[in-house]
Amino acid sequence: MGRLQPGVAFLRNTWRGLTSMRTALVLLFLLALGALPGALLPQYSLNPEQVDQYYADHRWLAPVLDRLGFFEVFASPWFAAIYLLLFISLVGCLVPRSGEYVRQLRAVPVATPRNLARLPHHRRATVEATAAESIEAARRRLRGWRIRERTEPTGAVTLSAERGYAREAGNLVFHFAVLGLLVSFAVGTLFGYEGQTIVKADGSQFCNSGPYAYDSFTPGTMVDGTGLAPFCTRINDFEPTYLPSGQPQQFRADIDYQDADGLASGQWQPYQLAVNEPLRLDSARLYLLGHGYAPEFTVTFPGGQQRTGAIQWRPVDLATQLSEGATKFDPPGVTDPAQLRERQLAITGLFAPTAALRGELLSSSFPQPLDPAVAVDVLKGDLGNNSGRGQSIFGIDESMVEQGRLERVARENLRPGESLRLDDGTVVRFDGVTRWVSLQVSHDPAQLWVLTFALLVLGGLGLSLTIKRRRFWVRATPAGSHDPDGRTVIELGGLARTEAAGYGEEFERIADGLLASGAAAPLAAVGTSRKDGD
Amino acid sequence: MPVDPVLAFYGDCAFYTALVLYLVAMVLQTVEYAAQRSAEPVGARAGDGGGVVTLTWPPGESAPRSRAARAGRVAVSLTVLGAAVHGVSLLLRGLAAGRVPWGNMYEFTSAVCFVAVVAWLVVLVRQRDIAPALRELGGFVLLPVVILLTLAGTVLYAEAAPLVPALNSYWIAIHVSAASIASGMLLVAGVASALYLVRIRFEARQAGGSRFAGRLPGSALLDRLAYRTTVVAFPIWTFMVITGAVWAEAAWGRYWGWDPKETVALVVWVVYACYLHARATAGWRGARSAWINVLGFAALLFNLFFINIVVAGLHSYAGL
Ligand code: HEM
């Protein structure tokens, strides 16, 4: 037992320290400070290309920052440590405070201080009413306050009144709701998922059948990719509108979808998918995030076989939708890998929806396809897509060009319907353009809980910041046997228990009311109530 | 809906008129301030709750007929007039573009300043009894307002135009108005806290402190002004963060994504939560909590300018 005590004391002191107000304050500070690099440095989760750029710009610093988790702050162990400590501190602070609050609710208002004149708010008057009458009047006046009447040995009758208990309740609701919010946030990230995909707006379909259906898929730790919410969607059309200045006005896709029931019955339902207007299904939501163009090329090989390709190109300038990309072809009928590596084709370059040529240089002057054109390089040789290395769909493997295994064989600007001819007789035609939209599917089973707790945070905060705790005391003392008129000395005192509560005016109002309604006008009144604004 | 260029033009005229009115009011207010004798409230003290204050002004203080006091009163009238014209400019902007008048950084900054001035005038009206003491602070509130409006009217200026699709949602009316109301009020709180810090240094070495600080109202009054404004603004800021999350859920597919702007809005929230905590923590009342309030406002400005302009996130406002 004796040996145990230092250990217990240590634990208890640690716990007390951790749950003290000062520690909470320091932890809150650390939370704010720790979140800042997440906003100021590029983050893997938001923008991996910018992290790469940062690496390129800060060769020495970047690896250090990366090691310390500064490029994924919100998944880093030290950030987790801060909010876990805050969480524990919060629990440790709330449990005893809740108990204390329950005790307070049961407790009776404290006895009237002997010397009311020492309180910040004080009045004293002699009235003609008896002590009992005055106390009765005060009771009526203080309806809604918690009141306790006491008789003092001197014969004086006192009232202790207190109100504003809901303030602490609001404060507790607020802090518990912060806890609930943190927990539901965590549940959401564990059990939710998010996936992005690009679909051509020409009647193409997307089905939420598994992670492989997406271009990128971010599952929560507890999501294995099976059992995603079953639905399919078909993008019929996408026609954005723009102001003459080129500022976008409306993005709206005309889609059909099948939810679980629709999949069973084969029925499609129409929907207008727009920015700010997602499609909400039972357990997944579908968003329109972006859009772009997919130029279509037809290649006629020397043997006469034709291949058509229309792959999405990505906007390099969002304002004018100037886009870049690479459309790749395998020669038809070639099975020998060695031959294939000699004769693969790639069409890369720029696409402009409204061509603006400066010399031969293509740029775009408007985001709508008023006068589409491409400026393309045609490359022939080995695309390197059998090398096992991942490839961007928006570009070619430059190392193949550097090694001389992929060679530029033509460079030209084309309008729809125009074509170019390679030395070997291959003809490349630019047919025209279709649009694509990028979609996001999100699932978060806890987000309604998050909203609920957020509203509780707000409600609790409102209560705790608007409700004021105050005490009010009345002491009615019979003026004494030597007073022939049976008058009573009334003393009032007030104390605001919350800071800057501005009790002054309210105290005066109550006091005026009491002394006026005290069956007779005060004969002599002295009082001080220190002014504190309204 | 097409933009009405005539209304937009008059809206801009009103904007610059308001700016000039504020500027003149600020100059007059400075004249008044400089002419005041050291305003030394007798027996100013912070009471037990930190908020119970005795303020008795030495007789003869701000003698009602003095020229300086007249300059101060004219300044307040000009500020009221400026606020009215400023309000009209926002209204015309909104009518011209057929939408809420806070759709880009120019308009948002203007709205924040409008709220700050109105919040300041409300404080003056509500604290009538001590208005003469408070009034001299008008110049300090107008200074950041004039600076911000000048920035808005020059570098940030944007022609009236409809909203881009990403912003075109009724949430902009709710979320961004809450942001501008809270920011405007926190500007007043930040100014009060900064002046508090100047004033307590003066009070600490009573004799021979700077004459500038000597003219400020007592620290207890400044502290209370900062606290009360923050306490009203903080739940509005909370509401702003929550509605922002609800909007983000509809627009970007998640209610929270650690976008830089979201992150710093949360940081600002946490800093003000620190302020409220500090005031309930022994040893942290007074100067330390005032520093936190100033820090909170600095973080807010940082979010408005640095994050919007330098760190590109999803939030970057149109028109810059
Ligand atoms: C995520 C963590 C926390 C946040 C965001 C937070 C936020 C706040 C806010 C905004 C207030 C002022 C509003 C009100 O009075 O209700 C407040 C008050 C308070 N908090 Fe926290 N808090 C946190 C953690 C804690 C912890 C860990 C403790 C205990 C050690 C604590 C103890 C208190 C107390 C006692 C008050 C009342 C202060 C007063 O009487 O004005 N809080 N908190």
Side-chain angles (χ1 to χ4, degrees):
Chain A
M1 183 74 196
R3 297 224 58 78
L4 215 71
Q5 262 171 357
V8 172
F10 174 76
L11 280 180
R12 199 183 48 211
N13 288 343
T14 310
W15 179 248
R16 280 203 186 137
L18 190 58
T19 58
S20 78
M21 202 65 184
R22 193 164 314 216
T23 312
L25 190 56
V26 169
L27 287 173
L28 271 175
F29 254 128
L30 284 179
L31 184 74
L33 202 63
L36 272 185
L40 297 181
L41 292 171
Q43 300 291 299
Y44 280 120
S45 58
L46 293 178
N47 213 327
E49 297 96 47
Q50 279 184 12
V51 180
D52 293 342
Q53 187 58 43
Y54 197 89
Y55 257 94
D57 296 346
H58 306 85
R59 284 169 192 287
W60 182 81
L61 188 59
V64 179
L65 291 179
D66 204 357
R67 182 81 51 86
L68 295 174
F70 276 96
F71 297 137
E72 40 193 350
V73 166
F74 304 108
S76 70
W78 52 266
F79 193 75
I82 296 175
Y83 68 68
L84 271 179
L85 281 175
L86 201 54
F87 192 94
I88 297 171
S89 162
L90 197 50
V91 172
C93 160
L94 284 182
V95 170
R97 270 179 71 193
S98 306
E100 174 62 24
Y101 181 59
V102 171
R103 229 167 297 132
Q104 260 184 36
L105 278 184
R106 296 222 192 93
V108 291
V110 296
T112 306
R114 189 159 319 138
N115 187 357
L116 285 176
R118 282 165 100 180
L119 294 175
H121 307 282
H122 172 241
R123 284 276 281 272
R124 183 191 164 96
T126 310
V127 298
E128 296 202 331
T130 64
E133 280 166 349
S134 302
I135 290 294
E136 193 42 44
R139 268 186 180 280
R140 252 180 282 126
R141 175 70 217 200
L142 295 171
R143 193 163 296 148
W145 294 56
R146 176 169 302 195
I147 292 183
R148 178 67 175 227
E149 187 178 322
R150 293 184 179 85
T151 306
E152 294 179 343
T154 59
V157 187
T158 72
L159 275 192
S160 312
E162 182 154 357
R163 79 164 187 202
Y165 292 85
R167 177 191 169 93
E168 179 68 0
N171 192 300
L172 289 172
V173 167
F174 169 85
H175 285 89
F176 274 113
V178 168
L179 274 185
L181 192 76
L182 288 175
V183 171
S184 357
F185 182 84
V187 169
T189 48
L190 285 181
F191 293 91
Y193 64 84
E194 221 176 73
Q196 287 92 18
T197 183
I198 282 179
V199 183
K200 267 191 279 172
D202 59 355
S204 295
Q205 288 188 20
F206 164 79
C207 286
N208 190 28
S209 40
Y212 60 86
Y214 290 97
D215 298 328
S216 76
F217 186 73
T218 326
T221 318
M222 307 301 282
V223 176
D224 62 4
T226 62
L228 304 187
F231 76 90
C232 285
T233 178
R234 184 166 68 198
I235 313 300
N236 301 321
D237 196 17
F238 175 68
E239 282 301 331
T241 56
Y242 291 88
L243 297 175
S245 67
Q247 180 184 319
Q249 200 175 19
Q250 193 174 65
F251 295 141
R252 191 172 284 281
D254 170 23
I255 69 165
D256 290 324
Y257 69 93
Q258 292 179 318
D259 53 12
D261 294 343
L263 284 170
S265 65
Q267 288 287 320
W268 290 92
Q269 315 242 28
Y271 191 76
Q272 295 284 313
L273 189 67
V275 174
N276 282 316
E277 290 166 38
L279 170 65
R280 294 177 187 280
L281 299 171
D282 278 348
S283 61
R285 294 165 278 132
L286 178 70
Y287 292 86
L288 176 66
L289 283 195
H291 66 102
Y293 289 101
E296 182 178 304
F297 298 94
T298 297
V299 179
T300 309
F301 290 90
Q305 308 102 315
Q306 286 194 332
R307 288 289 181 273
T308 298
I311 291 288
Q312 69 265 22
W313 286 21
R314 73 175 161 204
V316 285
D317 179 7
L318 282 178
T320 65
Q321 287 287 322
L322 183 72
S323 311
E324 68 174 11
T327 307
K328 300 165 190 174
F329 294 89
D330 278 348
V334 178
T335 46
D336 172 30
Q339 268 208 24
L340 196 64
R341 280 203 290 273
E342 298 273 288
R343 292 169 53 193
Q344 287 180 311
L345 281 185
I347 304 168
T348 80
L350 293 171
F351 165 79
T354 300
L357 284 170
R358 204 180 312 119
E360 287 294 288
L361 217 63
L362 180 70
S363 67
S364 172
S365 61
F366 199 70
Q368 293 280 46
L370 303 181
D371 178 18
V374 288
V376 290
D377 285 348
V378 181
L379 297 110
K380 190 174 169 190
D382 182 0
L383 292 177
N385 46 8
N386 301 333
S387 66
R389 268 195 300 163
Q391 249 194 34
S392 161
I393 64 163
F394 298 113
I396 49 168
D397 186 346
E398 289 294 339
S399 67
M400 289 294 152
V401 182
E402 278 154 29
Q403 293 168 31
R405 288 156 68 183
L406 188 61
E407 218 179 329
R408 190 171 87 200
V409 289
R411 164 171 281 186
E412 218 160 306
N413 292 353
L414 300 174
R415 308 259 164 172
E418 291 181 348
S419 49
L420 62 84
R421 176 180 289 271
L422 306 181
D423 289 345
D424 65 0
T426 305
V427 176
V428 174
R429 188 177 71 221
F430 173 42
D431 300 327
V433 68
T434 52
R435 292 188 192 263
W436 54 260
V437 293
S438 71
L439 302 177
Q440 172 165 315
V441 177
S442 310
H443 169 65
D444 183 340
Q447 73 171 15
L448 263 184
W449 285 108
V450 172
L451 182 62
T452 309
F453 284 119
L455 294 178
L456 285 173
V457 161
L458 197 57
L461 194 61
L463 275 186
S464 107
L465 291 181
T466 52
I467 291 190
K468 291 155 183 169
R469 286 208 67 179
R470 42 205 45 182
R471 287 177 171 167
F472 194 94
W473 289 280
V474 184
R475 172 175 287 122
T477 320
S481 47
H482 54 271
D483 186 300
D485 303 328
R487 290 182 303 185
T488 309
V489 176
I490 304 256
E491 260 195 295
L492 307 175
L495 179 67
R497 299 199 56 213
T498 46
E499 61 173 333
Y503 193 11
E505 268 184 21
E506 190 190 340
F507 177 82
E508 292 301 318
R509 236 187 359 258
I510 300 176
D512 287 345
L514 271 182
L515 297 179
S517 70
L523 299 179
V526 277
T528 58
S529 183
R530 287 166 201 152
K531 237 333 3 106
D532 67 344
D534 66 345
Chain B
M1 181 158 163
V3 169
D4 184 332
V6 179
L7 285 186
F9 173 74
Y10 284 122
D12 288 347
C13 290
F15 173 86
Y16 292 110
T17 309
L19 176 50
V20 170
L21 286 171
Y22 291 150
L23 192 65
V24 175
M26 189 179 86
V27 170
L28 286 177
Q29 212 103 62
T30 314
V31 169
E32 179 192 28
Y33 190 82
Q36 285 293 335
R37 269 177 301 122
S38 190
E40 190 56 51
V42 172
R45 72 174 184 101
D48 343 34
V52 187
V53 179
T54 310
L55 286 180
T56 342
W57 294 90
E61 199 52 56
S62 55
R65 290 285 153 240
S66 84
R67 267 202 207 149
R70 207 175 315 141
R73 280 197 304 277
V74 172
V76 173
S77 309
L78 284 181
T79 312
V80 172
L81 185 64
V85 176
H86 196 171
V88 168
S89 90
L90 288 170
L91 191 69
L92 289 177
R93 227 329 132 132
L95 288 176
R99 56 169 174 76
V100 292
W102 44 74
N104 52 49
M105 273 193 71
Y106 158 66
E107 296 168 3
F108 181 75
T109 310
S110 173
V112 169
C113 291
F114 176 68
V115 173
V117 173
V118 171
W120 171 244
L121 293 173
V122 169
V123 167
L124 279 190
V125 171
R126 287 188 38 137
Q127 309 273 334
R128 254 162 318 206
D129 337 348
I130 46 171
L134 278 177
R135 192 179 67 207
E136 295 150 30
L137 299 180
F140 300 104
V141 176
L142 286 176
L143 180 65
V145 165
V146 165
I147 293 174
L148 287 176
L149 283 181
T150 307
L151 272 179
T154 52
V155 263
L156 301 178
Y157 182 77
E159 296 286 341
L163 293 174
V164 295
L167 293 180
N168 197 355
S169 155
Y170 56 90
W171 284 111
I172 194 174
I174 302 167
H175 168 68
V176 185
S177 62
S180 42
I181 292 173
S183 307
M185 297 182 72
L186 291 172
L187 183 149
V188 175
V191 167
S193 285
L195 293 176
Y196 171 89
L197 289 170
V198 174
R199 175 71 193 186
I200 48 166
R201 291 186 53 188
F202 168 79
E203 287 174 6
R205 43 181 162 75
Q206 268 299 350
S210 82
R211 288 175 54 205
F212 168 79
R215 290 170 181 150
L216 286 172
S219 58
L221 176 60
L222 291 168
D223 180 54
R224 203 176 69 225
L225 176 61
Y227 175 71
R228 291 227 182 144
T229 325
T230 308
V231 155
V232 179
F234 185 73
I236 303 177
W237 188 270
T238 312
F239 176 78
M240 180 281 285
V241 174
I242 294 174
T243 50
V246 173
W247 187 7
E249 194 272 348
W252 299 325
R254 81 289 182 292
Y255 61 85
W256 197 264
W258 299 109
D259 181 70
K261 185 98 189 181
E262 288 168 5
T263 305
V264 179
L266 181 71
V267 167
V268 170
W269 187 82
V270 171
V271 173
Y272 283 107
C274 283
Y275 171 74
L276 295 178
H277 267 201
R279 296 183 60 97
T281 307
W284 281 78
R285 297 189 191 98
R288 286 194 186 172
S289 47
W291 275 113
I292 301 177
N293 200 309
V294 172
L295 189 72
F297 187 65
L300 189 153
L301 282 185
F302 177 78
N303 201 20
L304 179 54
F305 292 107
F306 190 82
I307 297 286
N308 266 16
I309 297 171
V310 183
V311 184
L314 292 168
H315 269 88
S316 298
Y317 250 6
L320 185 82

